[in-house]
Amino acid sequence: MAQDDTIVSGVAGRYASALFSLAYDERQTDSVAEALARFDELIAENPDLERLVRSPVFSAADQLKALDAILADANIGGVAANFIRLVTSKRRLFFIREMIADYRKLNDAHRGVTRADVTSATPLTDAHIAALKESLRAASGGREVDLDVRLDPSIIGGLIVKLGSRMVDGSLKTKLNSIRLAMKEVG
């Protein structure tokens, strides 16, 4: 676990590291990651839940009461639910999304997986996703690659791929902007 310190840091990193250690000891790293991902999606999709999580106006008791219902409804239990409750009682719930992201980094490193963020103007077919994964696997030194694909029609066409600290912007929007800039310089 010595390398964990280089992957995550700060308050969120400390909480994520502690959770990962517990989940590792319980042999539940992947199930905790899945439960936390579901909770993170709930926050992203629901502005009221986002407000509950972020706002210091709500007391820990109010947050816990609301979260108990949400966790039960989303079928999130065990180590992940207990962690969310602990974070809430410690008044650190506003850091939960960062903690989830750091936990994901730790779990990915443990599994030997690299995560790539892909932005596309249109939905990708299974064949495109498979080809992209294979290319990114070669670029990452043979490590398994998990893709997080999101749609953004504003890029017009092409892809924007972020793998670790490297980013390749092959979007049509960026290419058109660079042509526009070149034309301004010429004339």
Side-chain angles (χ1 to χ4, degrees):
M1 291 287 245
Q3 80 178 47
D4 295 351
D5 297 334
T6 60
I7 298 173
V8 298
S9 62
V11 172
R14 287 192 302 273
Y15 274 85
S17 293
L19 174 61
F20 186 80
S21 286
L22 177 63
Y24 182 81
D25 291 345
E26 300 283 327
R27 291 180 169 65
Q28 296 181 19
T29 55
D30 290 336
S31 63
V32 169
E34 290 168 15
L36 291 176
R38 280 198 316 272
F39 186 67
D40 193 45
E41 284 175 23
L42 288 174
I43 296 170
E45 294 169 356
N46 189 326
D48 291 334
L49 180 55
E50 171 96 32
R51 198 169 17 266
L52 175 75
V53 166
R54 293 266 179 217
S55 178
V57 173
F58 300 104
S59 70
D62 290 341
Q63 288 176 322
L64 277 169
K65 188 175 180 181
L67 285 174
D68 279 339
I70 291 166
L71 294 173
D73 191 46
N75 201 22
I76 297 172
V79 174
N82 289 339
F83 175 74
I84 294 167
R85 288 184 190 102
L86 172 75
V87 168
T88 303
S89 68
K90 296 289 186 184
R91 301 295 292 159
R92 297 283 188 257
L93 189 60
F94 62 94
F95 271 129
I96 193 69
R97 296 195 77 190
E98 292 84 357
M99 292 175 192
I100 292 170
D102 283 352
Y103 181 88
R104 188 179 197 184
K105 288 177 190 173
L106 293 169
N107 195 43
D108 286 348
H110 171 70
R111 293 174 41 224
V113 171
T114 301
R115 192 159 303 276
D117 295 315
V118 178
T119 305
S120 172
T122 59
L124 298 174
T125 65
D126 290 342
H128 288 132
I129 290 173
L132 187 57
K133 274 186 172 184
E134 192 55 42
S135 295
L136 293 173
R137 182 179 296 126
S140 67
R143 292 183 71 170
E144 186 65 33
V145 177
D146 277 353
L147 297 182
D148 288 329
V149 181
R150 72 180 184 95
L151 297 178
D152 183 0
S154 73
I155 69 169
I156 305 170
L159 295 174
I160 300 171
V161 179
K162 184 177 179 201
L163 180 66
S165 62
R166 295 177 285 181
M167 185 172 104
V168 176
D169 188 342
S171 67
L172 191 53
K173 180 179 180 180
T174 300
K175 289 178 183 178
L176 290 172
N177 283 339
S178 64
I179 290 171
R180 182 178 339 126
L181 213 72
M183 290 175 71
K184 282 182 181 179
E185 290 175 3
V186 171

